[in-house]
Amino acid sequence: MRIPAHSVCTAIRDDIVAGVHARGSRLTEELLARRYGVSRVPVREALRTLEAEGFVVTRRHAGACVAEPTEQEGADLLEMRMLLEPLGASRAAQRRTEAHLKVLRGLVRLGQERARRGNSDDLRSLGGWFHETLAQATGSPALTSLLTQLRHKIAWMYVVDAPADPVESWAEHGAIVDAVARGDGERARAITALHTERSGAAHRLRFASGQDRADRVRSSQHPVNVTGVRH
């Protein structure tokens, strides 16, 4: 698989989130460079970035390895999300552009249509695009980056059950966009806080303690899955 050098970081992160590189496994520059079809220089830079983001750790005598966050760290991520997503919606109400609104409204229309049809696979993707666009609408690169990292890490650590009532969930998305369009930051914050709190209950940790130990045993024998297929 050959990818542009500037996309190596994204590719490695995506593979970590997807489980291609197991928690605790070594990330060898040579094998990663071969897997992604690049030199070792962009791989080295990518690993530094991913370490700063918390996806990679450097261990003595082992080098770069996939991080193994604890259950408490996972709980902290959800708490941070409950604080930052409402803030992001409030900022979006003040700073959004017409282009942002057009995309958000289009996503809500599609989401509500798919929710009525019961197409859960489409809804998951549409929900991710919705929250990504809402983060971009904050007009704050720092806040957008934090929200993006949170989404990646939460997707890595948690399985998210489909909402019990997807129609209601997408009605909340629509209400958020209405508030953002009116420039009503307080209402956008309040609705997003409620939406985030409700969705938090659907998150289940991917790795129990026993599974973690089994993963480490397997990954110690196969440091990097160089033949895995990205999803």
Side-chain angles (χ1 to χ4, degrees), residues 5-22:
H6 67 271
S7 301
V8 173
C9 184
T10 298
I12 298 175
R13 186 193 300 110
D14 287 348
D15 279 349
I16 289 174
V17 171
V20 174
H21 304 308

Side-chain angles (χ1 to χ4, degrees), residues 30-106:
E30 181 180 356
L31 293 179
L32 291 174
R34 188 185 310 157
R35 171 180 172 79
Y36 300 110
V38 295
S39 72
R40 294 173 65 170
V41 173
V43 169
R44 190 175 304 124
E45 294 173 354
L47 292 177
R48 283 198 291 264
T49 298
L50 293 171
E51 184 168 16
E53 293 179 357
F55 289 95
V56 171
V57 295
T58 300
R59 292 176 177 158
R60 189 176 182 183
H61 305 309
C65 300
V66 179
E68 299 178 88
T70 65
E71 292 186 14
Q72 182 58 60
E73 288 173 312
D76 289 344
L77 290 175
L78 292 182
E79 186 174 2
M80 290 169 64
R81 176 173 172 259
M82 290 183 64
L83 293 171
L84 289 179
E85 285 203 346
L87 173 63
S90 177
R91 291 290 184 270
Q94 301 166 9
R95 303 172 181 174
R96 88 292 183 280
T97 66
E98 288 302 315
H100 290 132
L101 286 178
K102 182 177 181 179
V103 174
L104 288 169
R105 285 169 171 154

Side-chain angles (χ1 to χ4, degrees), residues 100-150:
H100 290 132
L101 286 178
K102 182 177 181 179
V103 174
L104 288 169
R105 285 169 171 154
L107 289 169
V108 168
R109 282 195 300 271
L110 284 173
Q112 291 175 338
E113 176 186 330
R114 300 295 193 276
R116 288 192 294 269
R117 294 181 180 180
N119 193 328
S120 59
D121 290 339
D122 283 354
L123 289 178
R124 194 177 301 276
S125 297
L126 289 170
W129 293 335
F130 176 88
H131 288 287
E132 180 178 346
T133 304
L134 191 63
Q136 293 171 353
T138 65
S140 168
L143 184 53
T144 300
S145 177
L146 283 173
L147 288 168
T148 300
Q149 286 187 40
L150 275 176

